[in-house]
Each structure stands twice: as C-alpha cells, then as structure tokens.
Amino acid sequence: MHVTIHCESIRTASWLHDLISPGSLYGVLPTKEKVMAHPPHVTLTPLVQVRQLSKTFRRDNGETFYAVREVDLDIYRGEIFSLLGPNGAGKTTTISMISGLLTPTSGDATIGGHSITRAPLAAKRLIGMVPQEIALY
C-alpha cells in the first residue's frame, strides 16, 4: 500500500480543518484536483518538485520490492509541509532521496530548480535537514 500526499498549502488552523479528509486515520489531505486555492503568501512556483520518485531494494531471496513508488509532490515557499504515514510507509526513504542521502532508483526531484540526480551539490546547498534521530558512526 502506498499513499501519494499532495498538499497545496496550509496557512492557518482553519485551512487545515478545511483540507483534512473526514474520517481519515492519518489526516491525509485530498488530491490536488480537489485543493487548488493558494494563499497570497505562497508563490505558484514550487521550491521543491518531486516527480515519479521511486526506490527499490532487493531482498535476500533476490526479490525486488518498492520502498517508495512513483511519488509526486510540490512544496511551495512559505508552505508548512509534512509527510504522515505508518511505519514502513516510505517517509524516511523519500526524505533521504530528496535530501541527497539516498539515490533514487527512478524519478527525480528539484530543489530551487536544481536536480537531485543531475546537480546534487547545487541542490544540497539549498537544503537544511535535522533528522529525528541523530546517528553517529
């Protein structure tokens, strides 16, 4: 099971209340076809664009499985954005690919117009990331 989340913008708590799907277990927002309004502080050019981003891994038996499958999302300047989902949904893998810590199997993301696959250093210069758990090796 995979879920594609597209959040146009959340400005205040009232926006969040209007956008959350009724009865949704994780507060998943409706698809972009249902949410088209942009508050005045949000530009119409996404700062982060993710298109068809996927990551596969091989199990010990040689079987390939998707950790992330064909994720599309846009994040606009001034927007508050979060990925929600159960353990194993691919949230950390998605953020790791967008931030350049993990190479996608397919698809691409751009940060400020710089591709994470074709211009990773330029994209990384625009990213600041604080992981939930700090792992030092």
Side-chain angles (χ1 to χ4, degrees):
M1 173 177 143
H2 73 282
V3 176
T4 300
I5 299 174
H6 183 94
C7 173
E8 288 293 329
S9 184
I10 299 171
R11 184 172 168 185
T12 64
S14 65
W15 275 79
L16 180 60
H17 183 267
D18 292 343
L19 294 177
I20 293 177
S21 300
S24 172
L25 181 59
Y26 298 106
V28 175
L29 299 176
T31 62
K32 68 180 180 180
E33 290 78 26
K34 297 179 184 174
V35 182
M36 296 306 290
H38 291 276
H41 72 287
V42 176
T43 63
L44 295 180
T45 303
L47 184 61
V48 177
Q49 286 186 302
V50 177
R51 296 292 177 265
Q52 299 294 297
L53 200 64
S54 296
K55 182 66 180 177
T56 59
F57 292 100
R58 285 206 187 274
R59 292 193 166 103
D60 290 339
N61 65 5
E63 178 184 328
T64 300
F65 72 94
Y66 279 92
V68 175
R69 184 181 299 198
E70 300 175 354
V71 170
D72 291 323
L73 63 89
D74 293 326
I75 303 172
Y76 296 87
R77 184 178 306 279
E79 181 175 55
I80 297 170
F81 182 86
S82 94
L83 292 172
L84 303 172
N87 292 343
K91 302 175 300 290
T92 300
T93 304
T94 299
I95 294 298
S96 295
M97 288 187 289
I98 292 171
S99 64
L101 297 174
L102 191 61
T103 303
T105 303
S106 63
D108 198 7
T110 58
I111 314 294
H114 302 286
S115 166
I116 62 169
T117 58
R118 294 185 305 277
L121 292 178
K124 287 178 185 181
R125 285 187 188 106
L126 299 175
I127 296 173
M129 185 174 113
V130 179
Q132 182 176 346
E133 297 170 10
I134 298 174
L136 299 173
Y137 298 97

